[in-house]
Amino acid sequence: MNRPTERLADAERSAQAERLRKVWANPTGWRYWTSVNNTQIGLWYAATAFAFLLFAGLLALIMRVQLALPDNDLVSADFYNQAFTLHGTVMMFLFAVPIFEAVAIFLLPPMLGARELPFPRLGAFGFWSFFLGGVFVCGSIFFDAAPSSGWFMYPPLATDEKLSGIGADIWLLGLSFIEVASIAAAVELIVGIMKCRAPGMRINLMPLFAWYLLIVAGMILFAFPPLIAGDILFELQRMFDWPFFDPSRGGDPLLWQHLFWIFGHPEVYIIFLPAIALMAMIVPTFSRRPIVGYSWIVLAAVGTGFLSFGLWVHHMFATGLPQISLAFFSAASEAVAIPTAVQIFVFIATMLAGRVILSTPMLFGMGGIAIFVVGGLTGVMVAIAPFDWQAHDTYFVVAHLHYVLIGGMLFPVIAGIYYYYPLIDAKQLSDRLGRAAFWLMFAGFNIAFFPMHLTGLMGMPRRVFTYPADLGWNTLNLVSSAGAFVFAAGVAIVVVDVLRPKHRQRRGEQNPWNAGTLEWISEPEENWGVRSIPFVASRYPLWDQPELAEEICEGRWYLADAKEGRREGLITSVLDARPEQVLRVGGTSKVTILSATALGAVFVAMTFKWWIATAIAALITFCALLYWLWTGTAEIPEQAEKDVGDGLILPIYASGPASVGWWAMFITMVGDSTAFASLVFGYFFYWTIHEDFTAGASGPGVAWPMLAAALFALAWLTALVARRFNRLDRVGLTRAALIVAFVLAAAGGAAGVAGPWSHGMDPTGHVYAAIVWVLVGWTLVHAAVGAVMLAYCLARSLAGRLTKRHDMDLCNVVLYWHFMVTTATIAFSVVGLFPEAL
């Protein structure tokens, strides 16, 4: 159906809309908080992220008051350390990334012409994980227990419990919990963008915002797992004295720097690229023309994301690296300026080719780009190793970082607020207040941070809570502190503008900017993405298909009704967006809050070493997740197919690569494999820096690791056999194969433990034993998860929910075992053959 159906009578159209409204309605009362609508979750995410932003901003103002005068004693050194650690942590982990996940969850369904993203319950779980983890980390400062070793937590300072206290554990475990939310959001965004686009919206017709979010979500899958791997090593040293970063027992603090900055530098672009995505929506609207160079900006965004993973070592130029490393990473750090510049020039070309309206969103966007360009120029300076040796750990780097992040992220975010606010409650923010806020923020920012370039070049180090009066930094620091309060005044005006009472727009003003993309047809009072799912034939359908908005709102396209009383959307093909399936998504559920709360309790209990409480919370989490899976996924529908409109018949159930669950499992395991690869990197890092990696200690041998790998391979093959039997409708043989696979997995786990255990490898004695146990332990945890999955499929079969036709669960479990057997083969080959067999 490439054209709309005939217009229905008003009564029938109203009845359809009412049925949809009833299905997608949010619950009331206390059950309101169990909502899983992406629209609602996106708003909760955004409000919470901004609350954390204001908290971190308040900490920054305290720091600037402390530094305004020399020899100031407003706050103690310890409180100052806690404040700057939390400031950086909150800005990077609790605002910069979550705010774009919030915007994406809110905007993507209508922008893609979709009813909903594919996993709304996963989105709700991610939000509650983010909220609880953020409160845990931020609340620590009120108990004088906040982390105080910097947002980068370098050992040996952060690994020494006497020096860093419990704050380092709060940072490590709290952020690990928050990282769960980020990866959950990345999975949902990738699957949603690839599989939930409106029919006809080929991949080269996607809005640029969707392209950027797809790239960023992919970057999260490769950037966050190395930090999770580093967190595991870090916490094992702090809790159990495993010596990963202790040089006296073979460890090396530089491994943490590698793992942290493999995450940390792509993180800058994970923050920057979504801000550019907002600009890619704003600039064409206020230039009154489509973006110039669509293909160029997409390729530049992909190039920026790719190159960002080759830059991390420029944070380590002062650690004594070989000249070849300095040369390579210095060149790569300068090269990333090329695709970044392409994106900026595309915006300039679009404005030159159009008729620019200097609105408040454009003002914030153009001001942010100007600030970012200055930060980019200083970035090229610190990419040159000799200059970096002089500027490293000085206020020059503080200035550079804030010019990049505030110019490249915060200003575009404020532009996005003023641009997209009408979609929240059909109201516009004040243009007068917005312009006043911009000039205060723009002037205040430059007054605050430009002098820091000079204080840095004059030798002022970062992270000092006071300074003597005779070093020549007094005036510059006072100016910076004054500028910070001017900047804060601008932010306060934005907050007031958002919170003040406003007049509601009339119905015809739903798209006040006359934008060309589909999100502007969404109705703030409704909880679905679009009233009916259209066929899209251009990049700016509201400009190129003038009647489309009215047709969608009249229900003249796909899935205009909800006769079965279910929340439904369309699944389309990855490249050309052909309709493939009707997807039914879960509704309101308490299990998302319960799962997130129980998992949060696991991390909190581990922080304080309450092991019994940890075990109880882990059991509750396990049971909640099982209940979630059993009741909320792979439901067998009451009918095999459905007419979605104009005679188009689509299946309701799908399995294997045709299902979104299979895609979610694949993407999740890619991220998981990245974390595993980081641990293997750690193993060979230690091997390369030591003349004798083992320090004379015995390893796990060859026999036990190879036996474990063989048993896991047999378990994988048996799982494949179970899938084959199920497709042949051999129920008894399917169940028998699942049982055998479970037994083989358990035997493989026992053989894996036997190697290091029988050879008396003590993980507290030397890093060789510790890293061997980590690789074995990682594999065994995944084997245990795989065994539970096999048992789950057996239970589904016994309950009549796993059949020849309805085999989604088994297909997803077999996919998991593809990754599991790869992990086991690599892990046991590494510990069994390197270095012993050599």
Side-chain angles (χ1 to χ4, degrees):
M1 181 172 73
N2 296 348
R3 53 183 178 273
T5 58
E6 294 297 322
R7 193 174 188 273
L8 296 174
D10 290 345
E12 177 60 21
R13 193 167 71 249
S14 298
Q16 287 183 350
E18 189 56 36
R19 284 191 288 269
L20 278 173
R21 196 171 290 116
K22 183 178 180 180
V23 166
W24 289 91
N26 278 326
T28 57
W30 68 268
R31 295 183 70 247
Y32 169 76
W33 301 104
T34 66
S35 171
V36 297
N37 287 325
N38 280 138
T39 301
Q40 197 64 53
I41 296 301
L43 292 176
W44 289 351
Y45 244 124
T48 307
F50 270 101
F52 288 138
L53 166 72
L54 297 178
F55 171 74
L58 180 61
L59 294 178
L61 292 179
I62 293 173
M63 290 188 287
R64 283 316 318 170
V65 173
Q66 170 65 20
L67 292 173
L69 300 171
D71 298 315
N72 201 349
D73 60 357
L74 175 70
V75 298
S76 66
D78 184 59
F79 180 86
Y80 185 89
N81 289 341
Q82 292 184 39
F84 84 70
T85 299
L86 271 188
H87 170 75
T89 298
V90 171
M91 287 299 194
M92 298 297 283
F93 293 97
L94 294 176
F95 172 68
V97 174
I99 189 60
F100 286 114
E101 293 171 343
V103 173
I105 289 172
F106 178 78
L107 284 181
L108 275 177
M111 185 181 287
L112 297 175
R115 187 64 54 70
E116 180 70 288
L117 291 178
F119 310 113
R121 289 185 178 179
L122 182 64
F125 172 78
F127 164 73
W128 288 110
S129 298
F130 158 69
F131 174 79
L132 296 171
V135 170
F136 176 56
V137 172
C138 293
S140 61
I141 198 169
F142 298 107
F143 301 93
D144 196 30
S148 59
S149 303
W151 75 279
F152 36 77
M153 283 287 150
Y154 280 174
L157 175 62
T159 49
D160 190 322
E161 291 193 56
K162 294 180 181 178
L163 295 174
S164 56
I166 199 172
D169 296 305
I170 291 173
W171 188 93
L172 287 161
L173 293 170
L175 290 188
S176 295
F177 186 35
I178 293 164
E179 286 153 11
V180 170
S182 295
I183 292 176
V187 170
E188 181 167 31
L189 294 179
I190 292 173
V191 178
I193 293 169
M194 294 178 72
K195 297 292 292 179
C196 294
R197 304 193 307 277
M201 187 182 282
R202 301 190 305 274
I203 200 162
N204 65 330
L205 297 182
M206 285 198 314
L208 285 172
F209 185 86
W211 262 114
Y212 273 94
L213 266 295
L214 180 62
I215 294 164
V216 166
M219 291 173 67
I220 288 174
L221 286 183
F222 291 98
F224 276 68
L227 181 61
I228 294 174
D231 287 347
I232 292 170
L233 302 183
F234 210 114
E235 200 54 44
L236 285 173
Q237 175 160 337
R238 284 185 58 89
M239 283 194 173
F240 306 112
D241 195 33
W242 292 21
F244 299 106
F245 310 112
D246 182 358
S248 66
R249 291 178 288 167
D252 194 325
L254 281 184
L255 177 60
W256 170 257
Q257 292 198 34
H258 281 292
L259 293 176
F260 183 85
W261 290 116
I262 288 173
F263 148 81
H265 202 84
E267 161 87 339
V268 172
Y269 294 94
I270 287 170
I271 293 168
F272 165 67
L273 288 176
I276 292 293
L278 285 173
M279 293 305 302
M281 307 307 291
I282 293 170
V283 169
T285 296
F286 293 110
S287 298
R288 320 314 295 164
R289 59 153 295 127
I291 196 82
V292 171
Y294 176 94
S295 300
W296 281 101
I297 197 170
V298 170
L299 290 173
V302 172
T304 302
F306 179 78
L307 287 174
S308 70
F309 285 90
L311 313 180
W312 83 89
V313 172
H314 84 218
H315 294 273
M316 302 169 61
F317 280 168
T319 59
L321 296 169
Q323 288 292 330
I324 185 66
S325 297
L326 294 176
F328 174 83
F329 286 100
S330 180
S333 300
E334 295 174 34
V336 77
I338 297 172
T340 305
V342 168
Q343 296 165 75
I344 303 301
F345 283 120
V346 163
F347 295 149
I348 294 172
T350 302
M351 288 188 282
L352 290 174
R355 293 176 289 106
V356 176
I357 299 173
L358 199 59
S359 62
T360 299
M362 277 294 277
L363 205 58
F364 273 101
M366 292 166 65
I369 288 175
I371 292 171
F372 175 80
V373 168
V374 175
L377 293 174
T378 57
V380 173
M381 294 169 68
V382 296
I384 300 170
F387 181 86
D388 182 79
W389 292 335
Q390 304 303 314
H392 186 75
D393 267 352
T394 71
Y395 260 78
F396 187 92
V397 178
V398 175
H400 157 69
L401 177 67
H402 286 83
Y403 265 83
V404 169
L405 294 183
I406 293 181
M409 187 273 293
L410 184 58
F411 274 80
V413 166
I414 304 298
I417 292 173
Y418 275 87
Y419 181 64
Y420 278 120
Y421 195 83
L423 294 182
I424 297 175
D425 59 1
K427 301 172 185 176
Q428 279 187 266
L429 297 178
S430 166
D431 186 66
R432 180 171 55 87
L433 290 177
R435 290 173 184 272
F438 167 76
W439 287 113
L440 284 172
M441 289 178 65
F442 187 80
F445 173 82
N446 286 287
I447 293 170
F449 289 99
F450 192 82
M452 293 183 190
H453 295 102
L454 305 178
T455 51
L457 293 176
M458 292 169 67
M460 183 173 178
R462 304 169 71 179
R463 301 182 288 275
V464 292
F465 87 107
T466 191
Y467 52 91
D470 57 354
L471 296 178
W473 307 336
N474 306 12
T475 302
L476 291 172
N477 273 303
L478 183 60
V479 170
S480 288
S481 295
F485 279 87
V486 175
F487 180 79
V491 175
I493 290 177
V494 174
V495 173
V496 169
D497 198 8
V498 170
L499 297 180
R500 68 180 176 86
K502 290 172 280 292
H503 295 295
R504 193 174 183 86
Q505 292 170 201
R506 295 188 299 274
R507 175 79 180 186
E509 297 173 340
Q510 187 60 48
N511 183 2
W513 314 119
N514 190 27
T517 43
L518 283 177
E519 70 271 22
W520 290 100
I521 63 172
S522 65
E523 302 169 80
E525 65 271 15
E526 306 294 0
N527 294 309
W528 56 67
V530 290
R531 165 72 173 80
S532 58
I533 300 173
F535 182 89
V536 176
S538 77
R539 292 170 184 157
Y540 297 92
L542 298 188
W543 288 345
D544 300 334
Q545 299 169 257
E547 306 300 322
L548 185 63
E550 183 179 354
E551 293 164 358
I552 292 172
C553 294
E554 289 178 350
R556 297 172 62 187
W557 291 94
Y558 297 117
L559 289 179
D561 204 347
K563 292 181 180 178
E564 295 86 1
R566 300 301 302 272
R567 299 185 177 192
E568 295 175 328
L570 283 185
I571 298 299
T572 55
S573 59
V574 173
L575 295 180
D576 54 1
R578 286 178 290 100
E580 292 182 336
Q581 179 203 350
V582 175
L583 175 67
R584 289 181 171 176
V585 298
T588 299
S589 175
K590 296 184 284 292
V591 73
T592 54
I593 300 179
L594 176 61
S595 301
T597 303
L599 183 59
V602 171
F603 285 101
V604 173
M606 287 178 63
T607 301
F608 297 99
K609 301 181 181 178
W610 300 335
W611 302 120
I612 295 177
T614 300
I616 293 172
L619 180 61
I620 294 173
T621 304
F622 177 75
C623 293
L625 292 176
L626 277 184
Y627 175 80
W628 180 355
L629 290 170
W630 190 271
T631 60
T633 62
E635 175 190 358
I636 297 178
E638 76 285 351
Q639 60 190 45
E641 297 176 323
K642 177 172 179 171
D643 186 341
V644 299
D646 199 36
L648 177 63
I649 308 295
L650 294 176
I652 298 177
Y653 189 97
S655 64
S659 76
V660 292
W662 187 94
W663 281 88
M665 176 66 79
F666 180 84
I667 292 163
T668 302
M669 294 312 297
V670 168
D672 180 90
S673 299
T674 305
F676 173 66
S678 302
L679 296 176
V680 174
F681 167 81
Y683 186 98
F684 286 102
F685 175 83
Y686 292 127
W687 188 24
T688 57
I689 65 172
H690 293 296
E691 191 171 328
D692 181 8
F693 174 32
T694 66
S698 63
V702 177
W704 283 115
M706 294 301 100
L707 176 61
L711 288 169
F712 284 127
L714 288 174
W716 165 65
L717 289 171
T718 310
L720 289 173
V721 170
R723 185 181 66 179
R724 177 63 178 166
F725 282 145
N726 185 67
R727 288 176 175 174
L728 295 173
D729 205 19
R730 307 291 294 273
V731 178
L733 290 176
T734 300
R735 295 170 181 172
L738 289 171
I739 294 171
V740 172
F742 180 91
V743 172
L744 287 170
V753 171
W757 184 271
S758 63
H759 288 78
M761 299 186 72
D762 177 12
T764 64
H766 191 268
V767 75
Y768 171 55
I771 195 66
V772 166
W773 272 111
V774 163
L775 290 178
V776 170
W778 178 275
T779 306
L780 297 188
V781 167
H782 284 70
V785 172
V788 169
M789 288 181 173
L790 294 168
Y792 176 84
C793 287
L794 178 61
R796 297 283 285 189
S797 177
L798 293 171
R801 298 191 179 195
L802 176 65
T803 66
K804 174 184 178 180
R805 170 70 182 85
H806 304 102
D807 62 345
M808 180 195 300
D809 293 312
L810 187 53
C811 288
N812 293 350
V813 168
V814 169
L815 176 62
Y816 175 89
W817 270 93
H818 291 336
F819 284 91
M820 172 58 213
V821 73
T822 304
T823 297
T825 302
I826 293 173
F828 289 115
S829 296
V830 167
V831 302
L833 301 178
F834 301 96
E836 285 203 342
L838 300 181

